[in-house]
Amino acid sequence: MLGDSAQINCCPKTMRVLDIIATKRDGKELSKSEIEFLIKGYVGGDIPDYQMAAFLMATYIRGMSRQETAALTMAMAKSGDQLDLSTIPGRKVDKHSTGGVGDKTTLVVGPLVAAAGVPVAKMSGRGLGHSGGTIDKLESIPGFRVELTETEFFSNLRQIGLVISGQTGNLAPADKKIYALRDVTATVASIPLIASSVMSKKIAAGADAIVLDVKCGSGAFMPDLKSAQLLAQAMVDIGTSVGRQTVAVVTNMDQPLGMAVGNALEVKEAILTLQNQGPEDLTILALTLGAHMLTLAGRTSSTEEGEQILRELLATGAAWNKFRELVIAQGGDVKTVEQLELLPQSQFKLPVLAPKDGYVAQVRADKIGRASMSLGAGREKKEDVIDLAVGIMVNHKVGDKVRQGDLLAEVHANDTARGRAAVTEVLEAYTIVSEPVISPALVYQVIE
Ligand code: URA
């Protein structure tokens, strides 16, 4: 299905963007060199937004083959700097979540895996829309520096085996530019485009192996299991085809992860989890992802062995201690993570009460995420300033039995009018039924 691309392959100079768009529009397969031409031209400013937008829409509708998706990923990965982690001994394993509500897993998994002796070099992002970002959460810790120079990044990694920062250097600029265009052209929710976007950044960040947490449900990009499985498989295929061993864990994001949603609230919950007192779902997810990371790093020969090691590191306080080392290494005030009341606190706490007796059948993650955003915990636009103290504590989750008047959730607000509006939104996220409800599975599938 190469269409006109045979001619294009033999004579790169004759390539025209128009032909590339038309090939995709007609559902034909593009060659690697055509995809490279397109990405180079767009990053270099020779191809205008309107042509890239047409290409993205054609891709959204027609899809891409495995080969095309891999070629797009590598072209984007090579569009800027690529981090070379080869001077750090051992296999470097990265972890990435496709984004969800209350997802503070990186804050737990990073120190946990580093405490097991596997170096973790993590570049994370800020939150956009209703899903939060690790970098914003870490900024709840007074003094914590998320912007590190490359020298600091490597020095911390060598000294304590753990670094979590915003992006250093100019990694995958093609993805940055294309993602901004997708955001305003209704072309975000495309499996090849999401898969290449995520994997290009992971590959440019230098990982030898990658563990992906692919979220599925109302609070995720992929609302149903089938599309989450397809996205997970697409990313595993890309990783495999470019020599980076990749494992994808498809997990539930119908309800928020853990109880805390909001930046400082999530940091507190991550700390409690590292102290072995966290919610069960967050603890299990951290152990599951961490165990895959240890196996991919060659530290353990099975995930069962990995989970056992990680459980001990939680129980002995070694993982919590590694988090303290991280805070100190990145300039944070360690007192504030040792005495949690020193982290940002909201002025008001508004209760959300159960309107009737029954069983919780739903806590819609998307609605909780939007309620938290409307309190100021997230941003609509990149320039928005967020309120680190506000958010929601989800006290009752799916399967819980509740009585009328029980505290379903608590809204942490700095403005009473916004707080009251959030109480209504949180209540709308809950469905309470009269028949018992089985609490849902957290991990749906592992794709290796
Ligand atoms: N996260 C990304 O990095 N890219 C996407 O396209 C979607 C989620």
Side-chain angles (χ1 to χ4, degrees), residues 23 51 55 59 140 188 213 248 268 332 358 375 403-404 421 442:
T23 303
Q51 284 190 308
F55 173 79
T59 302
S140 312
V188 169
D213 180 4
K268 290 178 203 170
L375 288 166
R403 291 206 153 276
Q404 186 179 12
L442 175 66

Side-chain angles (χ1 to χ4, degrees), residues 396-413:
H396 282 290
K397 309 248 312 222
V398 175
D400 287 0
K401 184 176 180 182
V402 293
R403 291 206 153 276
Q404 186 179 12
D406 278 357
L407 188 66
L408 287 181
E410 200 167 37
V411 168
H412 291 234

Side-chain angles (χ1 to χ4, degrees), residues 178-214:
I178 290 173
Y179 193 87
L181 192 58
R182 284 167 60 207
D183 215 17
V184 291
T185 55
T187 52
V188 169
S190 148
I191 287 173
L193 296 180
I194 296 177
S196 55
S197 163
V198 169
M199 293 300 283
S200 64
K201 286 175 287 208
K202 295 291 107 185
I203 291 165
D208 300 308
I210 300 154
V211 175
L212 300 162
D213 180 4
V214 180

Side-chain angles (χ1 to χ4, degrees), residues 316-329:
T316 58
W320 158 232
N321 210 35
K322 188 55 77 178
F323 183 80
R324 290 177 66 258
E325 285 179 31
L326 171 77
V327 171
I328 294 165

